[in-house]
Amino acid sequence: MKKTCRCGAVEVTLAVPAPGAGTRVTCYCKDCQTAAALFGESDALLSPGGGSEIWQTTPDRLTLESGREHLEILRLSPKGLYRWHARCCDTPIFNTMSRVHLPFVGVVLRQAELEGAAFGLGPSRCRAFTKHARRDPGAPKADRGFASAGLQVLRRMAGAWISGRARTNPLLGGDGAPIAPVKVIPLEQRQAAVPSHLRQGAGTS
């Protein structure tokens, strides 16, 4: 299965040998909504209510076919999640922990990619941080499957370590550092991108 950035310069192959290779989740957290706004991709990325669709898997399932030189890592704060994007066209691609050597990656799915069952990745198994959701028609009212999704992440990570697959990580260079530069978003820029319904003192409309 292929995933590309908007302009096509970055191309990634996702290996999905079995349903258990990953879990599709929907995250409504403030940071994911803010990141979508920073990329200018809120409409293209977010589901009703402001959810980001993410396929959680292990890095050995990824093959960077082209465009690795266009990758950049954004952090919303100095300790924030690593949000990998294609700087050629500001397309979010992956999320990882700052310890990139850990066998975890969340592949960010655009709404257009959800057609055809999201590359065959199946339905979302988890709704998380719904307290931050916009109250749009069709928006969820409660979290679901969070503990189960977290357990699946731990199981996949353990399986990757035990099998040796964790040693295959295309997001790391030979020196053990991420293959992309890291940029921390300035506080003022991040605050300006926070959706209006999540700003201090805002209502829940």
Side-chain angles (χ1 to χ4, degrees):
M1 299 178 219
K2 299 290 185 183
K3 177 176 175 62
T4 65
C5 65
R6 284 186 289 179
C7 72
V10 176
E11 183 175 298
V12 182
T13 297
L14 307 181
V16 191
T23 303
R24 184 176 149 200
V25 304
T26 309
C27 181
Y28 294 85
C29 79
K30 177 179 178 180
D31 281 356
C32 280
Q33 293 186 61
T34 299
L38 281 168
F39 290 124
E41 285 273 83
S42 294
D43 290 341
L45 283 174
L46 303 181
S47 63
S52 291
E53 301 291 338
I54 300 167
W55 188 59
Q56 296 179 334
T57 188
T58 50
D60 60 285
R61 305 298 187 192
L62 309 178
T63 301
L64 299 179
E65 305 289 359
S66 63
R68 59 180 287 169
E69 69 275 12
H70 297 297
L71 292 176
E72 181 179 61
I73 300 167
L74 295 186
R75 305 186 85 175
L76 297 186
S77 69
K79 295 184 179 181
L81 191 73
Y82 273 19
R83 298 177 183 272
W84 299 64
H85 77 119
R87 57 187 168 190
C88 48
C89 55
D90 274 345
T91 303
I93 306 289
F94 320 117
N95 295 333
T96 68
M97 302 174 195
S98 58
R99 296 180 179 180
V100 183
H101 67 280
L102 294 175
F104 169 83
V105 64
V107 180
V108 180
L109 303 172
R110 296 162 61 80
Q111 290 297 304
E113 293 170 332
L114 300 179
E115 298 177 7
F119 303 132
L121 303 180
S124 177
R125 304 292 183 183
C126 167
R127 297 190 303 247
F129 303 105
T130 55
K131 66 180 181 180
H132 295 151
R134 300 190 306 254
R135 294 308 163 201
D136 296 341
K141 298 179 180 177
D143 288 2
R144 182 195 70 185
F146 187 83
S148 176
L151 181 60
Q152 291 301 316
V153 167
L154 295 176
R155 286 177 174 171
R156 280 192 296 272
M157 290 176 66
W161 285 120
I162 292 169
S163 67
R165 290 186 291 105
R167 293 193 292 270
T168 301
N169 189 334
L171 304 181
L172 292 177
D175 59 355
I179 62 171
V182 180
K183 176 183 177 182
V184 179
I185 297 298
L187 177 61
E188 296 79 8
Q189 185 180 356
R190 184 185 81 211
Q191 290 176 331
V194 174
S196 58
H197 70 286
L198 292 173
R199 292 177 185 168
Q200 189 171 8
T204 56
S205 60

